[in-house]
mmCIF file of all heavy atoms in Angstrom:
data_model
loop_
_atom_site.group_PDB
_atom_site.id
_atom_site.type_symbol
_atom_site.label_atom_id
_atom_site.label_comp_id
_atom_site.label_asym_id
_atom_site.label_seq_id
_atom_site.Cartn_x
_atom_site.Cartn_y
_atom_site.Cartn_z
ATOM 1 N N GLY A 417 20.762 -17.037 -21.054
ATOM 2 C CA GLY A 417 21.456 -16.957 -19.769
ATOM 3 C C GLY A 417 21.164 -18.110 -18.830
ATOM 4 O O GLY A 417 21.223 -17.946 -17.610
ATOM 5 N N ALA A 418 20.845 -19.294 -19.385
ATOM 6 C CA ALA A 418 20.573 -20.459 -18.531
ATOM 7 C C ALA A 418 21.843 -20.832 -17.755
ATOM 8 O O ALA A 418 22.956 -20.628 -18.231
ATOM 9 C CB ALA A 418 20.113 -21.635 -19.389
ATOM 10 N N ARG A 419 21.655 -21.354 -16.538
ATOM 11 C CA ARG A 419 22.821 -21.766 -15.741
ATOM 12 C C ARG A 419 23.353 -23.111 -16.202
ATOM 13 O O ARG A 419 24.544 -23.342 -16.246
ATOM 14 C CB ARG A 419 22.460 -21.829 -14.258
ATOM 15 C CG ARG A 419 22.495 -20.469 -13.571
ATOM 16 C CD ARG A 419 22.521 -20.616 -12.065
ATOM 17 N NE ARG A 419 21.336 -21.305 -11.574
ATOM 18 C CZ ARG A 419 21.371 -22.335 -10.748
ATOM 19 N NH1 ARG A 419 22.532 -22.819 -10.328
ATOM 20 N NH2 ARG A 419 20.252 -22.913 -10.348
ATOM 21 N N TYR A 420 22.428 -24.025 -16.515
ATOM 22 C CA TYR A 420 22.828 -25.385 -16.898
ATOM 23 C C TYR A 420 22.206 -25.758 -18.226
ATOM 24 O O TYR A 420 21.121 -25.251 -18.569
ATOM 25 C CB TYR A 420 22.347 -26.404 -15.867
ATOM 26 C CG TYR A 420 23.104 -26.390 -14.567
ATOM 27 C CD1 TYR A 420 22.594 -25.729 -13.461
ATOM 28 C CD2 TYR A 420 24.330 -27.074 -14.452
ATOM 29 C CE1 TYR A 420 23.282 -25.729 -12.258
ATOM 30 C CE2 TYR A 420 25.018 -27.070 -13.253
ATOM 31 C CZ TYR A 420 24.501 -26.397 -12.158
ATOM 32 O OH TYR A 420 25.175 -26.407 -10.977
ATOM 33 N N ILE A 421 22.844 -26.683 -18.908
ATOM 34 C CA ILE A 421 22.172 -27.370 -20.015
ATOM 35 C C ILE A 421 22.124 -28.850 -19.658
ATOM 36 O O ILE A 421 23.092 -29.408 -19.118
ATOM 37 C CB ILE A 421 22.863 -27.084 -21.367
ATOM 38 C CG1 ILE A 421 22.023 -27.631 -22.526
ATOM 39 C CG2 ILE A 421 24.273 -27.653 -21.429
ATOM 40 C CD1 ILE A 421 22.398 -27.002 -23.866
ATOM 41 N N LEU A 422 20.981 -29.473 -19.893
ATOM 42 C CA LEU A 422 20.785 -30.882 -19.548
ATOM 43 C C LEU A 422 20.597 -31.643 -20.852
ATOM 44 O O LEU A 422 19.684 -31.346 -21.625
ATOM 45 C CB LEU A 422 19.527 -31.011 -18.674
ATOM 46 C CG LEU A 422 19.182 -32.407 -18.192
ATOM 47 C CD1 LEU A 422 20.182 -32.885 -17.146
ATOM 48 C CD2 LEU A 422 17.774 -32.420 -17.587
ATOM 49 N N ILE A 423 21.455 -32.618 -21.084
ATOM 50 C CA ILE A 423 21.426 -33.305 -22.374
ATOM 51 C C ILE A 423 20.671 -34.629 -22.253
ATOM 52 O O ILE A 423 20.954 -35.460 -21.372
ATOM 53 C CB ILE A 423 22.859 -33.494 -22.903
ATOM 54 C CG1 ILE A 423 23.417 -32.085 -23.158
ATOM 55 C CG2 ILE A 423 22.863 -34.317 -24.179
ATOM 56 C CD1 ILE A 423 24.912 -32.024 -23.247
ATOM 57 N N VAL A 424 19.670 -34.796 -23.119
ATOM 58 C CA VAL A 424 18.803 -35.965 -23.059
ATOM 59 C C VAL A 424 18.974 -36.765 -24.359
ATOM 60 O O VAL A 424 18.368 -36.466 -25.375
ATOM 61 C CB VAL A 424 17.325 -35.523 -22.882
ATOM 62 C CG1 VAL A 424 16.421 -36.752 -22.741
ATOM 63 C CG2 VAL A 424 17.178 -34.616 -21.669
ATOM 64 N N GLY A 425 19.867 -37.785 -24.288
ATOM 65 C CA GLY A 425 20.085 -38.656 -25.446
ATOM 66 C C GLY A 425 19.608 -40.069 -25.119
ATOM 67 O O GLY A 425 19.207 -40.357 -23.984
ATOM 68 N N GLU A 426 19.650 -40.957 -26.147
ATOM 69 C CA GLU A 426 19.220 -42.352 -25.943
ATOM 70 C C GLU A 426 19.949 -43.007 -24.770
ATOM 71 O O GLU A 426 19.321 -43.642 -23.916
ATOM 72 C CB GLU A 426 19.503 -43.184 -27.216
ATOM 73 C CG GLU A 426 18.810 -42.683 -28.480
ATOM 74 C CD GLU A 426 17.337 -43.080 -28.521
ATOM 75 O OE1 GLU A 426 16.866 -43.727 -27.565
ATOM 76 O OE2 GLU A 426 16.658 -42.708 -29.505
ATOM 77 N N ASN A 427 21.278 -42.835 -24.735
ATOM 78 C CA ASN A 427 22.083 -43.477 -23.678
ATOM 79 C C ASN A 427 21.680 -42.985 -22.295
ATOM 80 O O ASN A 427 21.575 -43.755 -21.342
ATOM 81 C CB ASN A 427 23.583 -43.181 -23.870
ATOM 82 C CG ASN A 427 24.078 -43.761 -25.173
ATOM 83 O OD1 ASN A 427 23.422 -44.659 -25.733
ATOM 84 N ND2 ASN A 427 25.204 -43.272 -25.664
ATOM 85 N N GLU A 428 21.474 -41.676 -22.200
ATOM 86 C CA GLU A 428 21.094 -41.087 -20.915
ATOM 87 C C GLU A 428 19.766 -41.665 -20.431
ATOM 88 O O GLU A 428 19.616 -42.016 -19.257
ATOM 89 C CB GLU A 428 20.969 -39.558 -21.039
ATOM 90 C CG GLU A 428 22.286 -38.807 -20.998
ATOM 91 C CD GLU A 428 22.969 -38.745 -22.367
ATOM 92 O OE1 GLU A 428 22.427 -39.342 -23.322
ATOM 93 O OE2 GLU A 428 24.049 -38.134 -22.452
#
Side-chain angles (χ1 to χ4, degrees):
R419 278 196 299 130
Y420 287 99
I421 189 161
L422 181 70
I423 295 161
V424 183
E426 301 282 1
N427 297 341
E428 280 84 357

